[in-house]
Structures are given as C-alpha cells and as structure tokens.
Amino acid sequence: MRKTLAFSVSGLLLGAIFFALSLTPSLIPRSAFVQGILSGVAFTVGYSFGVLFRWLWKYLEIPDIPLSSFQWRILKRLVIIFCIGLVLGFLWQGTYWQNSVRSLMGMATVSGAGQIIIGAVSLFVFLFLWLMAKGFHKIVLVVTARLKKRIPERVALLAGLLAAFFLYWGILNGVLLQSGLRTVSIIYEQLDQAIAEDLSPPKNPSRTGGADSLLSWNSVGHQGRRFLTLGPNAQDIQEVTGKGIDPIRVYVGLHSADTPLQRALLALAELKRVKAFEREILLIATPVGDGWVDPGAVDSLEFLYRGDVATVVAQYSYLPGPIALLTDDRYIRMSARSLFKVIYDFWEDLPVNTRPRLYLFGLSLGAQLSEDSFEFYDIIDDPIDGALWAGPPYGMGVWRMITDNRDPGTPAWLPQFKGGEVVRFGNQYGGYLGQEPWGRFRIAFLQHASDPVVFFDLRWMLRKPDWLERPRGPDVSPDLQWFPVVTMLQLLADLNVGVTPRDFGHRYSPAGYTRAWVALTEPPDWSEEELRHLRMKLKPHYKR
C-alpha cells in the first residue's frame, strides 16, 4: 500500500514544517511572489530531509511501528490533514508577520490576498524541483540497470549517479548559466554604452569629460556620465553652507583604457590635470559591480567640506555585483588594487603638510574591493587617513574578524573593538563610539542591523546568529526567530530581492552617510543645527 503513494509522507511532514517556518519574519519584507519562491524551496528542502530520513530508517533496518494496514492508512491521512492545517494556519499568520516588519520600517501594510499567490507559487516551485529530482533518479536507475549486467552492481550505481550528475551539470552550467551570462553581459554592455538624452558633456572644457579632458565623454560609460554631471556644483553648496567651490570628480570608464593599470594611470593623469591634489580631501571611491557610486555618500562629503573635495572612481565592470564576481573575480580585484597603488604612491611622495587627506569609500561589493585594494603593511609607514565602508558584505575579512572578536558586552550589530582606537561602527541612528581616542588612521563601518548583505552567513544554517541576541537592532523585528536551515534560506532570499525604504536593509541614505563622514573626518565649522539642516536638504538618489 505504501508503494502506491506518489509522495513520501515523512517528506510531506517535514516539508510542511519547513514551509510554515519560512513564512515567519526575517530581516526585510518580501513580496508575495518572492515569498512563494522561498517557501517552495523550503518545502522542497524539508521534503528531501524527510525522504532521506525514511531511506536511512530502512537502510539501517529499523523496524516500523507495528500497525495494521488500516492503521497505517489512518495515520497517513492524519499526517496529511495536519500538514494542510499547518500550511493554512501559517499562511494566515504570515500576513501579520510581514506587516510587523513593514510597520517597523514605515512601509504600508499588505492584505491577506497575497497568500493565494504564495501558495500557488510555492506549489509550482515544489512540483518543478520534485520532477527534476524524479528525472535525476530515473537516469540513475536506467544507467545502473544497463551496466550492472556487466560490472558489479555498486559500481554500476556509482556510474549512474555520475552520469546523472554530469548531465544535469552540463545543462545547468553549460547551457543555462553560460548562455544566460552571455545574454546579460550583452544587455548590460549596451546599457553602459548608451548615452542618455538628458545627460550632456560638461560645458566647462576643463572638467572631466569636457573638451580638454583626458577622458572622453563616450568612454566613461552610463554610470560615469551620471556621476560626473548629477553631483552638486558651487551654487548648490553655497545655498546650503553659505560658501563653496565646485567639487572635482574623475571617473575612468571600463572603455577608457584597455587594462586596469592603464586606467589607473589615466585616472592619476586626470587628477593632476584638474589639480585634485590641491584639495582638502581626496576620496578613492570603489563602485559596485555596474559602476554605480552611491551619490549620497559623495554628495554629503562634498557639502561638508564646501566643495573642497576631489573624488576618483575607476569602473571595473558593467555587470551587477554578483554577476561580476562570477565572471572574473581576479580581474575586478586587480582593478581596485591598481587604482589605489598608483594614486597612493603619488600621494605618498607629496609634502605631508600640503597634500590632501586621503580616504577610501565603498558600498557593498565596493566596500569589499576597497578593503582588498591595499595591504595594511604596505601603508603602515605612511597610512592613509581612513576609510568608510557601508553595507560591508558577509565574508569581508576585517569586518568579520572584528565582529567575531568584539569587546565583551557590545552587540554584533553595533560592536566595539579594542575601545574603538582604529575601527568604529555606526548605523542610521548614530554610533561611532569608543572608549579610547580615535587614532589618526580610522576605519568606519556604516551598517544597518536589518541589512541581510551584512549579516548573511552560511554558519547560520546550524547556529543561531549573534545579532539575534538581545538587545536587538531597533530595525529588526522582535518576532524574528532562528530555525536551523530555514533562517539561512530566508536570509538568502533577502540578499537580492528585498525592497525597503532608505535607512533600512541594504539602502543607505545621505543622512546616514553624513553622520559617518562627520565622525570619521571631523569637518570644521559645523554646528549640530547646521548638520541637521544639511541632512534635511540632501536628497537620496537611488536611480541607476
């Protein structure tokens, strides 16, 4: 009787439990469609564990509960009824949980109508993955049956597993992934080269991208053209601060030169041409994958120093960050290192009393590449002034080491390390505190407690994250609970598809950047009232 069932009862039970737990809140809200994909994957993972558990039970020859056929049928029906009730109950409760996170972030609440979409999408995802697994199993059986007549059965089974694996891997990697990457690359390259009608070259021929510039308007790419033209000018700054000059911005596009070193040398030559080394602040900003630099980060620094800032950016890809890492990880790291080394070597030779203060900036992948752009022992004799790294991605070396070894009593979402002598942390509410004076070389991390890019880690599959301990970050739902495997799946879904207002999740605001720059660089002649007025005036730019 049991063999006639299309699905494993133990699989359905664990699948339903995983499905239900996936509906509980995580760091950021999710749309019904995304939640459906997540819950479908969670159900599949739970189902797989149930099937594996049943297989091990039989393999170890553990006897079943002594029940009659009739009693087994009743038990299975009760299990299925329980699964249905569990799924429906958590679907109904899921609306409340999502709204608890949305309310925390000032977002409009959603109705329960989305639960129908969640259920439908989850069912489709599970059936698709289940059929894929059935196909894999079928290939293994067919190959094994053909080979076991000529070779030992276990060797034939191994051959069947390898045949199925390489067939699926060939389709996934060789056909779907590679062709998909090529298509995405073509699309994004065309977008990068397209010149928007509302963006025109600088009228001042001496500015980067102008007639006298070493960098042509066409070569700097879409993000470069936006960066060079949409920032504040002297008049914008004077309206807020009373006085100011035009900031200097240099952007070297991917097509400006052939190699990372050539682009770095071109950036240095352009910085010299526009007299960037005569400014108060020189900022090396590392963009995200497609070349975008968060304007809120640069705008806020330019206002704080009344335009006496020069910023240089070198594009290393026109693809989104995760795809850029998949295509050529070594190349993009080489690009960041080349730019830093060329500029630092020139800056180091300048007179200490007249050269600009040198800072680094990066958001997300840009933060990781900015960290990788130098080795501490290379600058120990003449260190730069500091770095601001926002939304540092999980796995970032310095961040992880400091967080794991933070001072006792400080939370993982806003840690202190060795009294804050070198590294300090802040968020949208403040921070950047320390028990010791902040030294000349400073590192500031700007991170939201609700940012999944910062706090995702494969360790959370089997271990409760430290940032879930109390007290929690003010933007983290009190209803968020840790469940083995499921919580990691939730965070994985949060990485790329969560939508939040600014100051939550992975979206950082000019106000947050302003607080960070003030703490890191200590700009002169700013009262608290003037800083509050500046934060109100700065407008966030998220359009790419």
Side-chain angles (χ1 to χ4, degrees), residues 294-311:
D294 193 336
V298 181
D299 291 358
S300 56
L301 184 64
E302 291 170 341
F303 273 98
L304 286 170
Y305 283 87
R306 299 170 174 84
D308 200 10
V309 176
T311 304

Side-chain angles (χ1 to χ4, degrees), residues 67 94 116 122 124 137 141 143 225 267 270-271 273 278 283 293 341 345 408-409 413 431 450 465 504 509 537:
L67 298 176
I116 299 175
S122 299
F124 174 82
H137 184 236
L141 292 179
V143 174
R225 289 185 282 270
E270 181 72 359
L271 287 171
R273 187 188 70 82
E278 298 177 8
L283 178 67
V293 178
K341 179 171 176 51
D345 286 349
W413 50 271
S450 56
F504 296 97
S509 71
K537 285 289 186 180

Side-chain angles (χ1 to χ4, degrees), residues 86-231:
L86 184 68
V87 166
L88 293 178
F90 273 71
L91 277 173
W92 176 79
Q93 182 70 9
T95 302
Y96 164 78
W97 283 322
Q98 284 299 308
N99 284 334
S100 72
V101 181
R102 298 175 72 88
S103 298
L104 196 65
M105 299 182 178
M107 301 173 67
T109 58
V110 295
S111 67
Q115 307 310 92
I116 299 175
I117 299 175
I118 294 173
V121 173
S122 299
L123 179 61
F124 174 82
V125 169
F126 168 68
L127 291 177
F128 173 77
L129 295 175
W130 180 76
L131 289 173
M132 292 287 290
K134 283 292 184 181
F136 187 94
H137 184 236
K138 184 67 174 177
I139 294 171
V140 173
L141 292 179
V142 170
V143 174
T144 302
R146 289 179 177 272
L147 293 179
K148 70 179 182 179
K149 299 175 182 178
R150 303 176 182 176
I151 59 178
E153 183 173 354
R154 292 184 179 181
V155 178
L157 177 60
L158 177 61
L161 287 170
L162 291 175
F165 172 79
F166 283 114
L167 177 61
Y168 270 54
W169 177 254
I171 295 173
L172 177 63
N173 183 59
V175 178
L176 299 180
L177 183 59
Q178 294 301 325
S179 60
L181 286 176
R182 282 193 296 269
T183 302
V184 170
S185 179
I186 292 171
I187 293 173
Y188 273 91
E189 184 175 16
Q190 293 175 346
L191 291 174
D192 184 64
Q193 294 177 352
I195 299 178
E197 296 180 358
D198 59 336
L199 297 178
S200 56
K203 295 180 181 180
N204 185 342
S206 64
R207 296 192 65 178
T208 299
D212 297 338
S213 174
L214 301 176
L215 298 160
S216 70
W217 185 245
N218 290 337
S219 73
V220 296
H222 173 69
Q223 297 297 347
R225 289 185 282 270
R226 291 181 61 82
F227 178 78
L228 294 173
T229 56
L230 298 183

Side-chain angles (χ1 to χ4, degrees), residues 421-443:
E421 291 181 281
V422 176
V423 181
R424 296 189 181 183
F425 291 77
N427 54 30
Q428 67 270 47
Y429 305 106
Y432 310 106
L433 303 177
Q435 304 300 320
E436 302 292 336
W438 209 350
R440 177 179 174 272
F441 173 63
R442 301 176 174 184
I443 295 176

Side-chain angles (χ1 to χ4, degrees), residues 54-98:
R54 183 58 180 164
W55 178 83
L56 284 174
W57 187 282
K58 291 183 175 181
Y59 181 79
L60 296 174
E61 298 181 350
I62 301 174
D64 288 333
I65 302 173
L67 298 176
S68 66
S69 298
F70 174 76
Q71 290 172 324
W72 273 114
R73 288 197 299 270
I74 296 299
L75 179 61
K76 291 171 183 176
R77 288 170 184 172
L78 289 175
V79 169
I80 292 173
I81 292 172
F82 171 79
C83 292
I84 294 173
L86 184 68
V87 166
L88 293 178
F90 273 71
L91 277 173
W92 176 79
Q93 182 70 9
T95 302
Y96 164 78
W97 283 322
Q98 284 299 308

Side-chain angles (χ1 to χ4, degrees), residues 391-392 399 412-415 425-428 445-449 454-455 508:
W399 179 91
W413 50 271
L414 196 64
F425 291 77
N427 54 30
Q428 67 270 47
F445 284 104
L446 170 58
Q447 59 188 41
H448 300 153
V454 176
F455 293 107
Y508 293 82

Side-chain angles (χ1 to χ4, degrees), residues 501-515:
R502 63 180 183 270
D503 275 332
F504 296 97
H506 200 53
R507 298 184 68 187
Y508 293 82
S509 71
Y513 285 123
T514 301
R515 293 186 184 92

